[in-house]
Amino acid sequence: MNPLIIYLEPKSGLSEVKRELKKIPCDIICLKYMKYPDVYKVALRTVKSHSEYTHIVWVQNDIIFNKEAFFKLCKGIKSIEGSILGASMNIDLSHHGLKKCAYTTEPFLFNETNGFIDKDPPYRDKGLDRGIIPIFHNGGVFICTREFYLRFPLRGFKETGYNADLVHGIEINANQEKYYLDTSIHLKHLRYQGKMQVGKKPIEVEFIEF
């Protein structure tokens, strides 16, 4: 296995996230200060141009992804019959957000103009450690084979690029593929933390070689 971490970095001020990432024994490509959906297009070009990697580990900007979680995902992806495995995280740092994990098990509908109909999808209560389970969609962090990502890249809703994780789940399930989640991995989601730098700092692709 030769994974590559793709890390989206639209914000500054999240030093703990970057510090933990750099401890992971894996090459990392940081996509800095890019707007939606451009960042997803750059990510796809990056994956296409690096055939030496067997797996893609996707990490959103405000999630503390550590070495332990990395090894669990690498081990877990080998044990499932599907090609994608996610890690759970809290929705945000509010009292409500800490009690729920940001993944769904049931599909729900999209509205053509306003994105998904339910403002808050039916997220799962935190603490339900049930090993590796099938899910509908997951936000934030996942590992998949390179071939799988080329088939199902993150793209977002229409031309806006928003709700990319949800659109990803819809496309995967619509093609009868299986999306799994390791409920034993709980990552800290620093939602609403950091300072947005998209449009303020020049875009950059940073390669961090292990």
Side-chain angles (χ1 to χ4, degrees), residues 114-179:
N114 298 319
F116 54 89
I117 290 175
D118 297 322
K119 185 174 183 199
D120 293 305
Y123 294 114
R124 301 293 298 188
D125 291 338
K126 190 169 183 177
L128 297 179
D129 277 350
R130 293 178 290 150
I132 294 177
I133 62 170
I135 58 168
F136 177 74
H137 113 286
N138 178 52
V141 172
F142 64 80
I143 185 172
C144 66
T145 62
R146 177 177 175 271
E147 291 76 14
F148 187 87
Y149 192 85
L150 292 175
R151 287 180 62 204
F152 301 106
L154 281 160
R155 65 181 85 247
F157 184 57
K158 294 190 174 178
E159 70 281 352
T160 67
Y162 294 122
N163 303 324
D165 52 353
L166 183 55
V167 173
H168 202 215
I170 289 173
E171 291 179 346
I172 290 169
N173 283 272
N175 284 274
Q176 281 72 56
E177 295 285 349
K178 293 183 178 180
Y179 199 145

Side-chain angles (χ1 to χ4, degrees), residues 8-12 31-39 61 160 162 194-204:
L8 274 60
E9 189 176 356
K11 298 179 182 179
S12 61
L31 305 181
K32 296 183 172 184
Y33 320 129
M34 300 178 192
K35 65 181 180 179
Y36 298 139
D38 296 351
V39 67
N61 76 100
T160 67
Y162 294 122
K195 187 174 181 180
M196 185 61 68
Q197 299 293 354
V198 175
K200 299 176 183 178
K201 287 190 174 185
I203 63 174
E204 180 184 350

